[in-house]
Amino acid sequence: MLGRVLTLGGPAPGLCLVLSLIAAPAAADPDPTAGAAPGELDRVFAQYHRSERAPVLLIVDGAEVDGDGPLLLELGRPDRPPVVPAGPVLAALAPRLAGEARAALAAAVRDHRLSLDALRATGLTATFDPQRLELRIDVPPQLTRTLSHDFGAGAPAAAATALGPSDASGYVNLHAGGTTDRRLFLRTDAAANIDGWVLEGRGDLAVNAPGADAPVTGHRGDVLLSRDVPHDAIRYMAGDFAIAPAGLQAGYPIAGIGAGRNFALRPYRVVRPIGTFEFVLERASRVTVLVNGAAVQTLSLAAGRHDVHDLPLGAGLNEIELLIRDDTGAERRIAFSLASPDELLAPGVTQFSLDAGFPLRSDVGLRRYDVAHPVLSGRYRQGATSWLTLGASFDGDLAHQIGGAGATLATSLGNLSLDAAASRSAPGDGRAAGVRYDHSGASRGGVTAFTIAGHYYSPRFRTSGPEASVGHYRGDVAIAAAGKLPHALLARIDLRYELGRDVRDAQSGSLGLSRSFGGVGLDASVSVLHHVTVRDEARLLVTARVALPGGAGAVHTASRASTRGGISNELGLAGHTGAPAAAVAGTMTLSQDPTSIGAGGTLDYTGSRLTSSLAGSTMFNLTGRGATDTASLDAGSALVFAGGRFAWSRPITGSFAIVDRHEVLDGVRIGVNPMRGGYAAETNALGPAVIPNLEAYRVSRIVVDAPELPAGYSLGPASYAILPAYRSGTLIAVGEAGTVLVRGTLLHYSGDAVSFTVAELSSLDDPRRPPVSLMTNGAGRFSVAGLQPGRYALRISGDAAASGEIEIPRGTTGLYAARIVEIK
């Protein structure tokens, strides 16, 4: 076997000495200079002052590195250390080395070379084997780049290549119906998305019964123009919208303009503290991560530096434990604490909004706004550290202003939130303060949660918004807790006490217990209420739910006892049937209370193009006043468009996708998103399929299927990843123009089969058509669908010289046997 070649050369003009050394396998003579006269090489190096250059294999952490060419190691004279070109070595080590080690190694480069001594000085293990001509470099675990293991969802890989929304899209939802009191109604909501600018609006119209004050009434809902900048998670708005609450300040609707950071625009971005913890593995190991005693995940990791972050945590500081078992069976444990991300922002992450406009005064008819008192509102929060988030807010007009500040702190026992606010208005200055403590977590005993909150309001403190007024209460205290008790019981308790200023104190409380027995669920709750505006009351509610076999429905019962309303009972049956795109669901209910007894039911239909709901009831009055019958009907549908295509759909509830077929597939039924019993939507004689409920800024998968696709026709890709925007539509065109399925056998000119080979078919009649790939089996046979009649060049991938030709006669559809195709 030929070995590696060692080349020697000198700079003197006309003189060059080349010495070829045969490096045999393990049994060869270990002396590569055997046969040379004693001292001959020394005299050669001394005369020409050139380094010995050996082409060597570079092996990093036991794996051979494939480079563009041989790595030449210069052995040098006895007074000089061996050196190698820096570029290939740095490129091979970069994926493994930590940043500080890479920087130290780059600083050791001299004249584009690295010496073995410099590699060792950095902490690497570098050895040269002269017999095998191998340079081995091993990276200690302490110097490796940290490999991060994210326990959060993260953005899927499909997000980078997903289809975006069409440049122009929109929809109009229509709901129409009526009731037995002879009232007809029409509700509509619509949106149009033009290159990221979204205009949306809502409204309704009612035809009232004869004798009503107004035979026809109408109402204008919100009308809003918005523009999203997903990269910065900012939404700009103009029109009707609501100012968000903050701390002790309430939210309220306005008509105006605003801008704010909305993290829903970047749902895969981690904006909470991720709780990173780094550790080093000396050997390959299995690592089990436990959070508060409960195992979260087990990872198989190589030796080196690693970190874990974005763990599922409860409120407060959480106990994290890593159970490490290496490949020798040795075990060790690492324990540490991480702060909960609940209500916290990661360090440096900011959330804000700035809004200005006129507050809503009346929501009747065409609405009325208080144009005499324009308001300005601002909100701001920032993560100061991984355990502290600070915030501030302001609302006000010329007559009334309120400002507030707050902080959320992760402590060793839970999260603590503090808020303070001050108001200025005509009655005088006021102040308020609030505190909230949260603790939650998962342990071996189950999930537990506990919250206690309290507020104080001075006599003249006024909240923001059009309904601002001096409060009747000095403050309140609320306590809520939930947890798992023995015998698989789930318990919850809620208590609230309000301290009156010019009214009596108010109290409320409730206690609930629930238990599941397979398909049977039981729930019981008791509550009491003592309030100034209503009569004191105590209530008891017991419910049971039994799931029917196969998940087709459930039977439920409910019994209520109240000191005000007496005892009432209810028995109900709910079920559903049909395919996903033509589902029917219904309920039947028998009810009884101290004054009446009756029955009722609903029937709901959900189809690809339409939804409808029919409800009715009959109640017999036990005091002799007769029976009361009621009924109502509601039907909804939508007209949508995207990418120039229109479609008929059931009402849109978010963003949507239109799946349309190529004209050659006209009449072929295509199902979208297969589900048990059918498809979520289908193309048919009524037009394209529509998926009406996509979530904005999250990747959705659209799967297409055509079980009745004729031979020779191609549906194209079986699935598509799409990334919708806010109130957007995406057009997906499925199918290809070709209607021919070609089958044949690929042979070399020698007659041998071209086995397990990838080839490409390119149209010779229309070079603009994209090439089609095919693959042969062991006998050289292949089949490829979606071709059009004409001439095609067949080329073997990776070998442009190997080619053949296929001609499909004009007018051919379906299966065409190309028989033998010869590669020349």
Side-chain angles (χ1 to χ4, degrees):
M1 180 183 293
L2 291 179
R4 301 180 178 88
V5 177
L6 185 64
T7 303
L8 307 176
L15 179 61
C16 180
L17 175 62
V18 177
L19 176 61
S20 297
L21 302 178
I22 306 301
D29 188 341
D31 184 2
T33 63
E40 180 179 344
L41 292 180
D42 291 340
R43 289 193 298 273
V44 172
F45 288 129
Q47 180 177 354
Y48 296 110
H49 303 288
R50 283 297 301 268
S51 296
E52 179 184 328
R53 296 184 301 164
V56 298
L57 289 179
L58 177 60
I59 299 176
V60 176
D61 287 337
E64 183 177 328
V65 177
D66 294 327
D68 296 332
L71 180 69
L72 297 179
L73 182 140
E74 301 179 8
L75 295 176
R77 298 187 307 191
D79 59 337
R80 295 183 181 178
V83 297
V84 290
V89 174
L90 291 176
L93 292 174
R96 287 282 291 159
L97 281 179
E100 59 273 16
R102 291 198 308 272
L105 200 59
V109 175
R110 297 291 182 271
D111 194 22
H112 304 291
R113 292 175 174 83
L114 272 170
S115 69
L116 268 62
D117 289 348
L119 291 170
R120 295 164 183 150
T122 311
L124 303 171
T125 301
T127 58
F128 169 59
D129 186 344
Q131 294 185 8
R132 302 183 62 86
L133 293 181
E134 293 176 347
L135 174 61
R136 290 180 171 271
I137 302 177
D138 293 318
V139 183
Q142 295 80 1
L143 298 183
T144 58
R145 170 181 288 182
T146 300
L147 298 179
S148 185
H149 307 283
D150 189 353
F151 284 72
T161 57
L163 295 174
S166 301
D167 292 339
S169 61
Y171 65 86
V172 177
N173 288 334
L174 292 173
H175 289 267
T179 62
T180 49
D181 59 4
R182 292 181 292 176
R183 183 176 184 271
L184 304 178
F185 64 86
L186 175 66
R187 298 192 308 270
T188 180
D189 65 275
N193 187 318
I194 309 298
D195 197 23
W197 291 91
V198 180
L199 178 63
E200 56 185 308
R202 297 170 179 81
D204 57 77
L205 187 69
V207 178
N208 300 311
D213 293 340
V216 179
T217 57
H219 172 255
R220 179 184 74 81
D222 292 343
V223 177
L224 180 66
L225 176 68
S226 63
R227 171 75 174 182
D228 289 348
V229 184
H231 181 270
D232 298 320
I234 294 178
R235 172 170 293 171
Y236 298 94
M237 301 174 291
D240 301 292
F241 59 93
I243 292 176
L248 299 168
Q249 298 169 229
Y252 51 94
I254 67 168
I257 58 175
R261 174 154 289 154
N262 185 347
F263 291 122
L265 276 59
R266 295 190 64 181
Y268 299 115
R269 179 188 176 189
V270 178
V271 299
R272 309 301 183 204
I274 60 176
T276 301
F277 179 78
E278 185 173 303
F279 57 97
V280 177
L281 298 178
E282 298 291 343
R283 304 180 62 89
S285 306
R286 287 176 61 83
V287 179
T288 300
V289 183
L290 300 98
V291 178
N292 296 323
V296 174
Q297 191 171 348
T298 298
L299 306 170
S300 295
L301 305 179
R305 293 165 61 177
H306 302 266
D307 71 35
V308 292
H309 62 78
D310 206 14
L311 295 164
L313 306 179
L317 290 187
N318 294 255
E319 297 303 321
I320 314 299
E321 191 174 22
L322 304 181
L323 173 59
I324 301 172
R325 182 180 293 107
D326 66 25
D327 52 9
T328 68
E331 289 188 1
R332 64 188 177 104
R333 293 175 179 264
I334 301 175
F336 57 98
S337 298
L338 291 178
S340 163
D342 295 347
E343 302 300 325
L344 298 174
L345 295 176
V349 174
T350 60
Q351 189 175 22
F352 65 88
S353 65
L354 182 63
D355 309 303
F358 307 101
L360 178 67
R361 289 298 182 188
S362 173
D363 195 19
V364 177
L366 297 180
R367 291 188 169 183
R368 182 170 60 87
Y369 292 91
D370 189 355
V371 296
H373 296 89
V375 296
L376 178 68
S377 173
R379 307 281 189 260
Y380 185 83
R381 295 177 71 230
Q382 178 171 347
T385 68
S386 61
W387 48 268
L388 176 63
T389 295
L390 302 175
S393 58
F394 172 82
D395 290 87
D397 54 28
L398 296 179
H400 174 214
Q401 303 89 39
I402 177 173
T408 301
L409 179 71
T411 74
S412 59
L413 299 177
N415 284 355
L416 184 65
S417 297
L418 304 172
D419 291 289
S423 67
R424 179 182 178 276
S425 59
D429 298 342
R431 59 193 180 279
V435 60
R436 178 187 175 103
Y437 166 79
D438 294 279
H439 176 79
S440 64
S443 64
R444 294 182 179 89
V447 177
T448 60
F450 177 78
T451 297
I452 180 170
H455 300 90
Y456 161 76
Y457 307 100
S458 71
R460 300 187 183 278
F461 178 78
R462 293 184 61 193
T463 59
S464 55
E467 303 301 327
S469 61
V470 177
H472 294 291
Y473 291 92
R474 294 175 290 168
D476 57 68
V477 177
I479 299 175
K484 190 173 183 180
L485 300 178
H487 307 293
L489 278 174
L490 298 178
R492 59 193 181 277
I493 184 171
D494 291 278
L495 303 172
R496 182 180 178 88
Y497 194 100
E498 296 179 276
L499 291 86
R501 175 173 289 114
D502 51 11
V503 296
R504 66 177 183 173
D505 294 353
Q507 307 93 36
S508 63
S510 66
L511 171 66
L513 295 172
S514 60
R515 176 73 156 84
S516 177
F517 301 88
V520 179
L522 298 176
D523 189 277
S525 64
V526 59
S527 60
V528 293
L529 174 66
H530 174 74
H531 200 271
V532 64
T533 59
V534 296
R535 196 171 67 192
D536 294 351
E537 182 180 14
R539 303 172 185 170
L540 174 65
L541 172 65
V542 179
T543 64
R545 186 178 187 276
V546 182
L548 298 179
V555 177
H556 77 272
T557 64
S559 295
R560 301 174 179 86
S562 168
T563 56
R564 292 180 56 197
I567 298 176
S568 63
N569 298 282
E570 182 178 284
L571 173 65
L573 171 66
H576 57 85
T577 184
V584 177
T587 64
M588 293 186 295
T589 305
L590 299 175
S591 61
Q592 170 270 328
D593 62 42
T595 60
S596 63
I597 186 172
T602 63
L603 186 64
D604 300 319
Y605 169 79
T606 302
S608 295
R609 321 287 177 181
L610 182 73
T611 63
S612 63
S613 178
L614 175 64
S617 67
T618 297
M619 299 300 295
F620 296 94
N621 194 293
L622 300 179
T623 61
R625 297 181 182 179
T628 302
D629 299 321
T630 62
S632 64
L633 174 65
D634 185 339
S637 190
L639 178 66
V640 305
F641 73 93
R645 305 285 181 92
F646 286 82
W648 180 21
S649 168
R650 66 178 179 265
I652 304 300
T653 57
S655 297
F656 65 92
I658 299 177
V659 180
D660 200 7
R661 55 195 169 189
H662 194 281
E663 58 184 9
V664 301
L665 297 178
D666 191 25
V668 177
R669 184 174 66 96
I670 298 175
V672 182
N673 287 358
M675 304 172 68
R676 189 174 69 173
Y679 301 94
E682 295 181 1
T683 64
N684 50 34
L686 297 177
V690 179
I691 301 297
N693 52 356
L694 301 179
E695 187 175 353
Y697 303 110
R698 284 192 178 274
V699 175
S700 296
R701 180 69 61 175
I702 302 296
V703 179
V704 295
D705 182 31
E708 303 165 2
L709 189 70
Y713 290 71
S714 174
L715 199 59
S719 66
Y720 300 82
I722 66 173
L723 187 60
Y726 177 68
R727 304 289 185 196
S728 71
T730 303
L731 174 65
I732 301 176
V734 300
E736 299 173 349
T739 60
V740 180
L741 170 66
V742 176
R743 288 180 178 168
T745 303
L746 204 57
L747 300 179
H748 285 291
Y749 62 88
S750 62
D752 297 331
V754 182
S755 305
F756 304 112
T757 300
V758 177
E760 227 175 43
L761 282 175
S762 301
S763 174
L764 296 174
D765 301 329
D766 186 0
R768 295 173 298 177
R769 293 182 201 165
V772 179
S773 297
L774 61 87
M775 185 174 180
T776 63
N777 63 10
R781 296 189 182 94
F782 68 89
S783 65
V784 57
L787 298 180
Q788 302 179 51
R791 295 169 55 243
Y792 293 85
L794 189 152
R795 294 182 176 84
I796 301 295
S797 298
D799 186 359
S803 62
E805 187 173 312
I806 296 176
E807 182 171 0
I808 304 172
R810 297 193 180 280
T812 302
T813 59
L815 177 63
Y816 173 72
R819 300 186 185 279
I820 294 176
V821 180
E822 189 174 272
I823 295 297
K824 301 178 180 178

